Amino acid sequence: MQQKIIILDFGSQTTQLIGRRLRELDTFCEILPYNKFPKDDPSVIGVILSGSPYSVYDPEAFGTELADFVGRVPVLGICYGAQYMAHRAGGRVEPAPSREYGRATLCGVDGGSPLMRGIEDGAQVWMSHGDTITALPPHYRRIASTENVELAAYEAEDAPVWAVQFHPEVFHTLCGQQLLRNFAVGICGSRQDWSPASFVETTVAELKQQLGQDRVILGLSGGVDSSVCAVLLNRAIGKNLTCIFVDHGMLRKDEFRDVLRDYEGLGLNVVGVDASAKFFKDLEGVTEPERKRKIIGRDFIEVFDAEARKITDARWLAQGTIYPDRIESLNITGKTIKSHHNVGGLPEEMHLRLCEPLQWLFKDEVRRVGRQLGMPEHLIARHPFPGPGLAVRILGDITPEKVRVLQEADDIFIRGLREWRTEDGDTLYNKVWQAGVVLLPVQSVGVMGDERTYEQAVALRAVTSSDAMTADWAHLPYEFLAQVSNDIINRVRGVNRVCYDISSKPPSTIEWE
Ligand code: XMP
């Protein structure tokens, strides 16, 4: 049985990070809404209560049935989680004189507490709270303080309960991983057996059992998630998996051909559908970004559905949904607030059931699983690419000629990033989160040979990021930018000016449209 730690989400922005940190300790965990603790699940070895935007005194503050797990499995409260447990057990929680935010150092650490093993006075932690615990319940004791917060960490004497006022999951809490290791491994007894190899082994066995001889359809995008999902399913059910890869005409240069070849090389049963003519026709003259997206989304569903209907005995629709997609899709009251379906509208009458084997994985774990499955590195390390493709990088209306120009410029930029070595021997491509070229609706004057030119301007965009929620423009070397600019202007007919986008997100999004 796969052991797991349950993280109950009370709405903190860093709840997902707690999950990531546990996975880094090769410990499987699930993040669930604060009131959805799975009673009677014998695989649960511990519970973590997250922080929250609320104060325990807010009328709308989230509460949970502590008796479901306190005293049964070890519990760790973080920030609000610490205040909530103290408050419920008879302690006192009060507004801090001022909201505490930022670095603090621990003092009075009780090295005898199993939570504090290996953590010493002076360890740096990160605080972010408005309330503070001013008195502990009976039979609870303090195990660490900071200069401003006397009760920075506590434990119960009569139950396996620990809590910290600071955030061990954030990077700035330097002893955070040690503390979480003390909890997960030392206290809960995690075997630390979650690994890509164990994931592949158990998931393939589960898929075989779940799917039997059923036929399954999967939409491939060329991206990491759907590709890994396909290879995993292929290992479990082989030819009973049919993958559909739609070319909407706005992929990168030669991408449809190259990726299709990769997929075939991996032994996948894949149908490639070139529907570019339909997309170009429907997009003719459309300039408004959201309308472009809608048309592409609608056409994509039509093309995908038509192809899927040919597989008349299909029983399942597989999707490469990953954990962050699911977390974004659920709010903590357990209601779906955003549909995460990548391929969307398959008709109800097809009665397809959903199969999402990567639904518990974070992005970096998907990549590790891909490597475990022996997939080529260039498929695994691919940058994210928007569903509507180059359509959102051509400002204004879309024509096949504009796509051709952009594909050529983009190819020079991306190829350059792949080939340019940095000091540590890695490539610039691997250093950036995402990169591409934007075709601007601007013409400018230039000179080529003895001729005056009046041609298109393009912008290069490259960003560093860890989740695309925020992003910084990549500080690419000037020599590299100079070479790319030269190559584009010399080799791409129709472009005579290259700019570099030096804006960060927020306020500027990664894509221009
Ligand atoms: P923004 O431009 O919002 O992009 O900073 C964040 C991330 O999302 C990608 N993106 C999209 N992906 N359909 C997609 O599948 C879209 O319409 C879309 N728009 C943006 C973008 O490439 C970046 O990775």
Side-chain angles (χ1 to χ4, degrees), residues 395-396 439-443 456-457:
L395 274 58
L439 188 66
L440 305 180
V442 168
Q443 285 181 299
Q456 212 80 37

Side-chain angles (χ1 to χ4, degrees), residues 249 251-253 390 403-411:
L251 297 172
R252 295 195 136 117
K253 185 183 175 188
L390 302 181
V403 172
R404 186 202 62 78
V405 169
L406 182 55
Q407 280 177 334
E408 291 301 328
D410 179 78
D411 187 55

Side-chain angles (χ1 to χ4, degrees), residues 164-182:
V164 289
Q165 179 60 73
F166 52 89
H167 288 270
E169 70 277 21
V170 306
F171 173 74
H172 297 292
T173 295
L174 299 182
C175 61
Q177 196 63 341
Q178 178 65 35
L179 190 142
L180 289 171
R181 179 193 305 274
N182 288 343

Side-chain angles (χ1 to χ4, degrees), residues 10 34 52-64 80 84:
F10 289 80
Y34 63 93
S52 173
Y54 291 116
S55 152
V56 294
Y57 295 112
D58 282 335
E60 65 272 43
F62 299 132
T64 196
Y80 175 88
Y84 181 72

Side-chain angles (χ1 to χ4, degrees), residues 45 74-75 114-115 160 162 181-190:
I45 58 169
V75 184
L115 190 68
W162 289 263
R181 179 193 305 274
N182 288 343
F183 180 71
V185 183
I187 295 174
C188 299
S190 162

Side-chain angles (χ1 to χ4, degrees), residues 293 384-388 392-393 433-434 468-469 505 508-513:
R293 274 197 170 79
F385 187 66
V392 293
R393 296 182 184 166
W433 164 268
Q434 184 171 1
M469 303 290 286
K505 174 183 178 178
S508 308
T509 50
I510 296 175
E511 305 295 346
W512 277 42
E513 279 200 340

